[in-house]
Amino acid sequence: METIKGKRMIQVDERGFYGKFGGAYVPEMLYPNVEELRENWETIVSRSDFQEEFQGLLRDFVGRPTPLYFAARLSESFGAKIYLKREDLCHTGAHKVNNTVGQIILAKKLGKKRIIAETGAGQHGVATATVCALMGMDCTIYMGELDIKRQRPNVERMRILGAKVVPAVSGSKTLKDATNEAMRAWITDPVGTHYIIGSVVGPHPYPEMVARFQSVISEEIKRQLLAKEGRENPDLVIACVGGGSNAAGAFYHYYNQPSVRLIAAEAAGLGIHSGKSAATSVLGTPGILHGSKTLLMQTEDGQVVEPHSISAGLDYPGIGPVHAHLHDIGRAEFVAVEDENAMQAGILLSRTEGIIPAIETAHAIHALHQISYRPSDLIVINLSGRGDKDLETYIQWGNY
Amino acid sequence: MNRINYLFQNKNKDLLSIYVTAGFPKLEDTLPVLEAIQEGGADLIEIGLPYSDPIADGPTIQESNAIALENGMSIKKLFSQLLGFRAKIHVPVILMGYLNPIIQFGVEEFCKKCKEVGIDGLILPDLPMSHYLEEYKEIFERYGLFNIFLISPQTSEARIREIDRYSQGFIYMVSSHAITGAKSAISEEQEQYFERIAAMNLNHPRLIGFGISDAATFQLASRYSNGAIMGSAFIKKIKDSKELKQDIKNFLSEVRG
Ligand SMILES: Cc1ncc(COP(=O)(O)O)c(C=O)c1O
């Protein structure tokens, strides 16, 4: 892993905090697990045997590097120079697999036999089931009952891959509840199980570890942009934020380059103030969810509010602590994109570039309408995933 | 003296602690339930602060949390119910809940209210020792609140010693690798763990909780500790109860055997 030169504005401290956000607020039952990870992950990940296996799988199994594609017609339509970082071309169809490949190698080296994970859109579940099949490890995926219904193809993919899919039936029956279930499952088998968290959320060291595995995205962007444009730094990087892993990966090597604007696209659902939204940076206040202090959508009494987004992957009432920090210090600009606008942006990308994006990703495309930029700006949009899993949602929306 | 210490000074065997979610099964049941638990002979009471995302709890207590929230229970409401409750309830009372609602209420304000109404201690599963020592210890102590730590079969000996050093009142032994929920029996492996901890000669007494469901499990747990804590089994008993007082009394006398 490369280190960033100069002063690091965005860095996790020893206790797992990014500024005011982060930490490891876990029950004592999970303390040994989290501690085991905290003590070992950086050492293991920086070893050459790990890196060899990790880089090899990213190349030959995931299909990295993913292209940095100049989107000529999209550029023309928005009046700026737009590149798409093609994470949709990763094996399994989204960036999620970068993290699962890293974590499964880590789990193996820690001697774990069994893998559990939560999933929202099902992309992380599929990416986890995939690497479990690859490594011959037992796999259980927790998924909200509502998400099981709206992401059917991914549920079946997980099953084909040999994973067990367990419905989470409490609360809003979406990602937050699936995460609760996964944490409970981890408590009941702390010795043999590794929990592969799918985003930059959860107790320290997960947010930093997942970001590190995803940082390959911005590592490649830098190299590819240099080759294509003669410069490593674009003017803007745009990514959607559910928990924030694809955004963290796309931002990672630009955190400390103030000339690069970082744009985070959240889900506004039916409208920020409609009561059916997942725009955490606007609606959230500091609180604790899933083991870390972060921005959280909650009532005055501190009960977690059930979010809404048309995209299951953004349907989460929090954001990773690093994003709460980026927001807090003004390093990233947050925009909230409504369901309808995201769907239209999905159609736009389909028709201008021949790429049907995941609906999560479509939020990042629409963000261009909600920010200012200059015609001379060089913009990279992280195309976090493809839309195959969302066909049913596109069809039901029907406006194409 | 804190009521918890007073209790353990006067009794150190077969202590029975009952957990109940505040505002459950009905919003205004909190006090009548506390009274019935005390009358039934429990030594200690834990009142659960309901939370939307109780990650250390199994289905039974998840449901009682959800019902209590639907009933309109909140920290504010609970304190209003508890105002003056010490006129009737003399057993030690501990609040058990997750950190987030307390942070939103205001930690200092929360502790102040606890002291005002007569709460003796707190069990906050998602407040780990390091964060407690850094941010909370001083405030809790200022208001005379004991922080009760959990240990599990996975907790290392060194960490148990450290927890013992910072504990007040007693140590909450989680009976197995488990979230809360009534199990039918205690395994040999669990007994070995109970024995191992008992042999450590800790400074603080221990109560065993999670999966204690009936007289048999209560007695077995009590053999290796100072007593046990029952939650899910009690919640199940009162969930659809038509005769709260009587059912609670029966439950407790069955457990006492
Ligand atoms: C394609 C795609 N993009 C984005 C996300 C949101 O997750 P994150 O914010 O962690 O990148 C998901 C989650 O399922 C996804 O499938």
Side-chain angles (χ1 to χ4, degrees):
Chain A
M1 293 289 148
E2 68 192 64
T3 50
I4 296 168
K5 290 169 217 82
K7 187 169 164 282
R8 299 193 60 177
M9 294 199 309
I10 309 299
Q11 194 175 22
V12 72
D13 70 18
E14 237 173 61
R15 296 149 60 238
F17 280 84
Y18 303 87
K20 294 186 283 220
F21 302 103
Y25 297 86
V26 291
E28 189 61 34
M29 295 82 93
L30 286 180
Y31 176 83
N33 301 52
V34 170
E35 190 60 12
E36 179 185 31
L37 269 182
R38 194 187 66 77
E39 277 183 350
N40 294 301
W41 81 273
E42 274 187 296
T43 316
I44 293 178
V45 162
S46 54
R47 273 191 342 228
S48 62
D49 60 325
F50 180 97
Q51 280 301 320
E52 229 163 81
E53 191 172 0
F54 183 51
Q55 300 302 340
L57 284 174
L58 286 185
R59 185 183 62 236
D60 301 330
F61 186 69
V62 175
R64 303 204 72 91
T66 59
L68 184 69
Y69 164 70
F70 174 61
R73 296 208 331 121
L74 192 72
S75 296
E76 198 178 320
S77 116
F78 278 102
K81 197 163 197 183
I82 302 174
Y83 279 90
L84 303 176
K85 179 58 174 165
R86 298 292 307 275
E87 293 301 299
D88 60 314
L89 294 178
C90 287
H91 178 43
T92 69
H95 67 289
K96 296 284 181 188
V97 71
N98 302 326
N99 168 45
T100 60
V101 167
Q103 284 202 48
I104 197 124
I105 302 171
L106 183 65
K108 228 176 41 176
K109 297 206 182 284
L110 288 171
K112 304 291 175 179
K113 299 280 179 279
R114 189 172 161 259
I115 298 293
I116 57 171
E118 86 297 340
T119 196
Q123 284 307 112
H124 175 58
V126 167
T128 303
T130 299
V131 296
C132 285
L134 177 72
M135 299 292 184
M137 276 164 97
D138 186 79
C139 179
T140 305
I141 306 291
Y142 296 87
M143 187 170 187
E145 204 172 42
L146 178 66
D147 292 336
I148 287 182
K149 286 198 187 110
R150 59 180 169 174
Q151 304 285 336
R152 191 90 224 163
N154 271 347
V155 175
E156 297 314 322
R157 285 167 83 195
M158 288 183 261
R159 291 191 176 131
I160 290 169
L161 289 160
K164 193 170 147 211
V165 181
V166 178
V169 296
S170 60
S172 56
K173 305 179 174 57
T174 61
L175 181 53
K176 155 181 95 84
D177 313 286
T179 308
N180 290 341
E181 279 313 314
M183 290 213 160
R184 290 177 186 126
W186 203 19
I187 289 175
T188 60
D189 181 18
V191 187
T193 296
H194 175 70
Y195 176 16
I196 301 190
I197 294 187
S199 193
V200 288
V201 302
H204 179 61
Y206 277 103
E208 186 58 22
M209 184 171 75
V210 175
R212 195 81 81 76
F213 290 141
Q214 292 293 359
S215 71
V216 65
I217 299 172
S218 48
E219 201 179 304
E220 288 175 6
I221 295 174
K222 277 191 132 173
R223 212 168 51 227
Q224 292 166 319
L225 215 51
L226 185 64
K228 286 175 196 279
E229 294 285 337
R231 54 192 272 203
E232 285 189 334
N233 295 350
D235 297 300
L236 290 85
V237 180
I238 306 177
C240 66
V241 172
S245 67
N246 87 89
F251 295 169
Y252 198 88
H253 292 284
Y254 296 120
Y255 282 154
N256 301 319
Q257 308 283 347
S259 69
V260 182
R261 286 170 64 194
L262 307 176
I263 315 290
E266 291 185 300
L270 300 181
I272 292 179
H273 300 292
S274 65
K276 290 253 167 214
S277 173
T280 308
S281 74
V282 186
L283 301 171
T285 51
I288 290 170
L289 181 67
H290 298 142
S292 62
K293 191 177 276 178
T294 189
L295 287 177
L296 172 61
M297 288 168 52
Q298 56 185 324
T299 66
E300 243 177 56
D301 291 333
Q303 306 296 340
V304 182
V305 164
E306 292 173 3
H308 164 86
S309 167
I310 193 163
S311 70
L314 305 185
D315 205 348
Y316 186 69
I319 47 176
V322 71
H323 294 292
H325 181 54
L326 291 171
H327 179 262
D328 191 43
I329 63 171
R331 176 65 189 97
E333 300 161 51
F334 282 71
V335 294
V337 177
E338 295 185 8
D339 286 353
E340 180 66 21
N341 290 333
M343 295 307 293
Q344 270 165 14
I347 301 301
L348 174 73
L349 188 71
S350 303
R351 303 225 169 138
T352 52
E353 298 294 343
I355 300 168
I356 304 175
I359 295 169
E360 290 80 7
T361 314
H363 288 71
I365 310 286
H366 187 83
L368 281 169
H369 287 295
Q370 297 179 225
I371 58 169
S372 63
Y373 55 85
R374 298 162 305 186
S376 59
D377 277 344
L378 186 57
I379 301 175
V380 175
I381 301 176
N382 194 36
L383 209 77
S384 61
R386 57 180 179 243
D388 307 28
K389 71 182 174 63
D390 293 316
L391 267 193
E392 194 54 43
T393 311
Y394 275 110
I395 292 166
Q396 281 187 5
W397 176 69
N399 198 2
Y400 48 86
Chain B
M1 182 190 292
N2 187 298
R3 288 179 198 87
I4 300 171
N5 277 352
Y6 184 79
L7 169 68
F8 282 98
Q9 277 180 12
N10 289 290
K11 183 174 176 184
N12 64 7
K13 283 232 60 75
D14 300 320
L15 280 109
L16 175 60
S17 178
I18 297 288
Y19 164 94
V20 64
T21 307
F24 178 85
K26 298 271 184 327
L27 183 63
E28 298 302 335
D29 285 338
T30 313
L31 276 191
V33 168
L34 295 190
E35 281 173 42
I37 294 173
Q38 175 174 277
E39 272 168 38
D43 300 292
L44 224 138
I45 303 176
E46 290 168 27
I47 306 178
L49 307 171
Y51 183 47
S52 54
D53 295 79
I55 58 163
D57 287 299
T60 305
I61 293 180
Q62 284 173 45
E63 192 190 12
S64 67
N65 275 248
I67 290 171
L69 288 175
E70 235 167 77
N71 290 345
M73 183 41 72
S74 66
I75 292 178
K76 208 189 282 172
K77 176 76 194 168
L78 178 62
F79 281 134
S80 75
Q81 289 179 342
L82 293 182
L83 205 63
F85 89 115
R86 280 298 176 193
K88 285 185 177 154
I89 306 291
H90 51 81
V91 299
V93 174
I94 295 170
L95 298 186
M96 177 165 190
Y98 293 82
L99 207 45
N100 195 54
I102 294 170
I103 290 176
Q104 304 313 319
F105 189 86
V107 176
E108 175 111 32
E109 181 63 16
F110 177 80
C111 294
K112 203 170 131 204
K113 286 275 183 202
C114 282
K115 188 186 161 98
E116 255 171 51
V117 299
I119 297 299
D120 306 291
L122 303 173
I123 302 176
L124 308 172
D126 60 348
L127 175 59
M129 183 162 56
S130 59
H131 288 303
Y132 164 73
L133 294 177
E134 282 162 21
E135 302 173 55
Y136 294 87
K137 181 171 183 284
E138 196 212 331
I139 305 176
F140 288 8
E141 286 179 353
R142 209 176 318 137
Y143 295 96
L145 292 168
F146 282 8
N147 184 58
I148 311 298
F149 288 100
L150 273 55
I151 63 170
S152 85
Q154 274 302 101
T155 313
S156 70
E157 173 161 351
R159 189 164 166 91
I160 293 174
R161 296 266 175 228
E162 202 182 350
I163 284 173
D164 192 32
R165 173 153 16 106
Y166 293 114
S167 283
Q168 294 164 297
F170 66 95
I171 291 173
Y172 191 135
M173 265 179 76
V174 176
S175 70
S176 65
H177 303 302
I179 49 180
T180 58
K183 286 212 202 80
S184 50
I186 286 175
S187 69
E188 217 166 280
E189 193 188 346
Q190 280 175 284
E191 273 196 70
Q192 281 164 13
Y193 153 64
F194 297 167
E195 236 167 86
R196 172 167 61 86
I197 304 301
M200 282 182 74
N201 286 318
L202 298 175
N203 295 321
H204 291 87
R206 302 166 320 278
L207 297 182
I208 296 179
F210 288 36
I212 308 301
S213 58
D214 53 17
T217 44
F218 172 70
Q219 279 160 19
L220 186 60
S222 298
R223 201 183 309 153
Y224 296 102
S225 67
N226 306 81
I229 302 161
M230 300 181 81
S232 296
F234 180 77
I235 293 287
K236 273 186 191 158
K237 187 78 185 178
I238 66 171
K239 185 181 163 223
D240 298 311
S241 166
K242 304 255 172 340
E243 281 291 335
L244 261 185
K245 289 227 162 212
Q246 195 53 46
D247 285 345
I248 291 171
K249 221 180 210 168
N250 293 347
F251 178 87
L252 283 155
S253 60
E254 276 163 32
V255 170
R256 288 289 193 193

